[in-house]
Amino acid sequence: QQPVQSPQAVILREGEDAVINCSSSKALYSVHWYRQKHGEAPVFLMILLKGGEQKGHDKISASFNEKKQQSSLYLTASQLSYSGTYFCGTASNAGNNRKLIWGLGTSLAVNP
Amino acid sequence: DAGVTQSPTHLIKTRGQHVTLRCSPISGHKSVSWYQQVLGQGPQFIFQYYEKEERGRGNFPDRFSARQFPNYSSELNVNALLLGDSALYLCASRASSGANVLTFGAGSRLTVL
């Protein structure tokens, strides 16, 4: 039931783009994206609810394909500050929003 | 405004001991959740409390317990510590029980020897 994130790790040069995927074997109600820098707390990025909406925040956006039970996080023109581990958390219904199931994370390193 | 604060930040215990971890949510937030994050993995849900009542429990043994106080702060207690309990314990608060956004504290790193 744990969502599968891919890739496990990615290394970019500043300005390059990346896509991080989060796939579930269960039908999803929502997908939550967080970024955690080494030694720090996870920080909220965005939430996507079923309906296939796409959201964006600065140069980070995400999509949610309800039929494929998959969400993708898009990082464009990456900056050094994007480095960290990206986690997706999933909920199968609104009531489960309180106990998200998290993927293992995708480690992203952006180099100058 | 202070964010979510947790204490202690680091602690070392030996097998069989017990530990109490503390969390103060963001002012005005009534819901607190606890997560265990083992190195290299994502957070695992332990408990959620809202208005001092348990609203959710993850797949953890009864050695793990928690409570929430009238000021909405919370404690996580772990008894009979095992080596496998070594992890970063994260507390997160949200404005209401059903609110979507979690604000995490920096965590308490527990090492069990």
Side-chain angles (χ1 to χ4, degrees):
Chain A
Q1 295 183 356
Q2 182 178 46
V4 176
Q5 289 188 232
S6 62
Q8 289 184 324
V10 59
I11 300 175
L12 300 174
R13 289 206 176 275
E14 206 171 0
E16 292 181 336
D17 302 339
V19 180
I20 299 172
N21 298 306
C22 175
S23 298
S24 174
S25 59
K26 293 184 66 173
L28 296 176
Y29 169 77
S30 63
V31 180
H32 306 230
W33 287 98
Y34 285 74
R35 176 174 62 210
Q36 185 176 30
K37 294 181 179 289
H38 182 68
E40 298 181 11
V43 174
F44 169 77
L45 293 176
M46 63 189 74
I47 293 171
L48 299 102
L49 302 177
K50 73 174 184 178
E53 65 178 298
Q54 185 153 351
K55 282 196 169 182
H57 174 71
D58 198 9
K59 293 179 181 176
I60 300 176
S61 62
S63 63
F64 179 22
N65 188 320
E66 186 183 340
K67 288 183 180 178
K68 290 186 177 180
Q69 297 162 187
Q70 176 180 313
S71 176
S72 296
L73 187 71
Y74 306 94
L75 300 101
T76 58
S78 60
Q79 306 168 15
L80 297 177
S81 62
Y82 287 3
S83 293
T85 301
Y86 290 76
F87 292 99
C88 68
T90 59
S92 55
N93 58 63
N96 282 341
N97 255 359
R98 62 175 70 100
K99 42 181 178 178
L100 300 176
I101 301 174
W102 299 83
L104 293 180
T106 294
S107 175
L108 175 72
V110 180
N111 296 320
Chain B
D1 267 347
V4 178
T5 57
Q6 292 187 244
S7 64
T9 55
H10 295 83
L11 68 165
I12 300 173
K13 294 284 188 177
T14 56
R15 281 177 296 176
Q17 287 188 311
H18 72 272
V19 67
T20 298
L21 307 177
R22 296 177 176 82
C23 170
S24 293
I26 290 175
S27 178
H29 283 195
K30 299 180 179 180
S31 176
V32 169
S33 299
W34 287 95
Y35 291 83
Q36 180 195 65
Q37 187 176 26
V38 173
L39 195 63
Q41 297 187 18
Q44 296 288 316
F45 172 76
I46 310 176
F47 287 109
Q48 188 206 9
Y49 277 78
Y50 177 71
E51 291 278 15
K52 295 168 287 181
E53 290 188 2
E54 183 183 301
R55 290 297 185 94
R57 173 185 284 253
N59 189 24
F60 279 81
D62 292 342
R63 300 185 294 109
F64 288 76
S65 63
R67 55 180 175 168
Q68 187 176 32
F69 299 100
N71 66 353
Y72 304 115
S73 67
S74 178
E75 282 183 355
L76 176 70
N77 293 284
V78 186
N79 294 324
L81 286 168
L82 303 174
L83 295 179
D85 294 332
S86 295
L88 179 67
Y89 288 85
L90 295 165
C91 172
S93 75
R94 60 176 95 196
S96 63
S97 178
N100 285 324
V101 180
L102 292 167
T103 302
F104 285 90
S108 293
R109 182 160 298 282
L110 171 66
T111 301
V112 182
L113 302 176

